[in-house]
Each structure stands twice: as structure tokens, then as C-alpha cells.
């Protein structure tokens, strides 16, 4: 809460100055990475070791996240499958109750009644 209160007290000019400063710092860091670090063998080794250590230390977190969100992940994968195959109408027919998790009511109605889209375009 402390940061939010401080942000509320700042003027728009101060906020804009902070954002511009942040953008400059990120740009400089990206340039340094692309020109110096990206091809540096020592940096690559250190970065790979860091990633390996992080993976080894946090394996259980990935499993816990999956167990906690198993249903949501399954529903999202099913939705993406039908979307990729361009068969969202079949998805809505089979899993209409799940469709509301990923699509608005308007999108669902447009897929159910594709004639409405054509009529809307003709009327314009």
C-alpha cells in the first residue's frame, strides 16, 4: 500500500518522468544485452547455470500450480484446440457451459448464428 499512496501523491509530470526514466533504463539494458552479453560465452554459462538451479529448486511449484489449476488448464487446452482447427462452432455445441470462460456472450452468439454477421455487414 505504501507505493500506491506515494503514486497518488505524485503529479502527472512526476509520473511521466518516472516512466520515461524506466523506459530509458530498459532500452539501455536491452542494448547492452544485444551488443555485449548475448554472445559472451561466460554470460551464457552463468545464465544457464542460474536457470538450471532455479528449475531444480522450484520443481515442486510447477506441480503444485498444475494441481491447483488442472481444470482451467484442461479447459483452455480444449478451447485452443478447437480454435486452432477453426471449429469453434463444434466447441460451443459440445461445451457451451465452458465457452463462457474464454468467450464473451456476443462472440458465442455470433458463432451460433453466423448469418447475423453477414446481415450486419450488408446493412452497413
Amino acid at each position: 500500500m505504501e507505493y500506491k499512496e506515494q503514486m497518488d501523491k505524485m503529479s502527472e509530470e512526476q509520473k511521466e518522468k518516472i516512466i520515461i526514466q524506466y523506459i530509458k533504463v530498459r532500452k539501455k539494458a536491452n542494448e547492452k544485452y544485444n551488443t555485449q552479453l548475448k554472445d559472451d560465452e561466460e554470460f551464457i554459462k552463468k545464465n544457464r547455470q542460474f536457470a538450471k538451479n532455479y528449475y531444480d529448486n522450484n520443481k515442486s511449484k510447477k506441480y503444485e500450480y498444475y494441481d491447483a489449476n488442472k481444470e482451467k488448464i484442461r479447459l483452455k487446452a480444449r478451447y485452443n484446440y478447437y480454435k486452432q482447427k477453426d471449429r469453434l462452432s463444434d466447441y460451443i455445441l459440445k461445451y457451451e457451459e465452458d465457452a463462457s470462460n474464454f468467450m464473451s456472450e456476443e462472440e458465442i452468439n455470433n458463432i451460433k448464428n453466423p448469418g447475423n454477421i453477414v446481415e450486419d455487414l450488408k446493412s452497413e
Side-chain angles (χ1 to χ4, degrees):
M1 280 302 200
E2 182 178 312
Y3 296 114
K4 187 171 179 144
E5 292 169 3
Q6 289 177 355
M7 288 296 288
D8 291 339
K9 292 178 184 177
M10 289 183 182
S11 69
E12 289 301 317
E13 291 175 1
Q14 290 173 321
K15 291 177 186 178
E16 188 174 322
K17 184 178 177 182
I18 290 171
I19 291 171
I20 290 171
Q21 183 181 6
Y22 173 78
I23 291 171
K24 285 180 182 177
V25 168
R26 292 303 317 143
K27 185 176 180 182
K28 189 174 183 178
N30 284 338
E31 286 175 3
K32 181 180 180 183
Y33 173 77
N34 287 327
T35 57
Q36 297 174 2
L37 300 176
K38 187 172 162 180
D39 300 323
D40 183 25
E41 290 296 322
E42 187 175 326
F43 174 78
I44 293 171
K45 285 180 184 177
K46 281 174 38 179
N47 204 27
R48 285 186 181 156
Q49 188 61 41
F50 176 80
K52 185 178 184 321
N53 291 342
Y54 182 85
Y55 175 78
D56 290 339
N57 293 335
N58 296 297
K59 274 184 184 177
S60 61
K61 286 184 183 178
K62 191 74 170 170
Y63 295 120
E64 290 169 10
Y65 175 82
Y66 178 76
D67 285 339
N69 298 300
K70 191 182 296 186
E71 184 69 17
K72 184 178 179 183
I73 292 169
R74 187 179 57 79
L75 292 175
K76 191 168 187 175
R78 182 184 295 153
Y79 168 77
N80 287 333
Y81 170 80
Y82 281 95
K83 185 176 179 182
Q84 183 181 13
K85 299 290 184 184
D86 207 17
R87 293 175 44 206
L88 283 177
S89 57
D90 295 341
Y91 174 77
I92 289 175
L93 289 174
K94 288 183 180 180
Y95 310 105
E96 186 170 358
E97 65 281 351
D98 298 336
S100 61
N101 292 332
F102 303 103
M103 303 169 77
S104 68
E105 287 296 322
E106 184 178 338
E107 290 173 316
I108 293 171
N109 289 334
N110 286 340
I111 292 172
K112 281 183 179 178
N113 305 315
N116 293 346
I117 296 171
V118 174
E119 291 171 9
D120 290 343
L121 292 173
K122 285 181 182 178
S123 65
E124 292 177 358

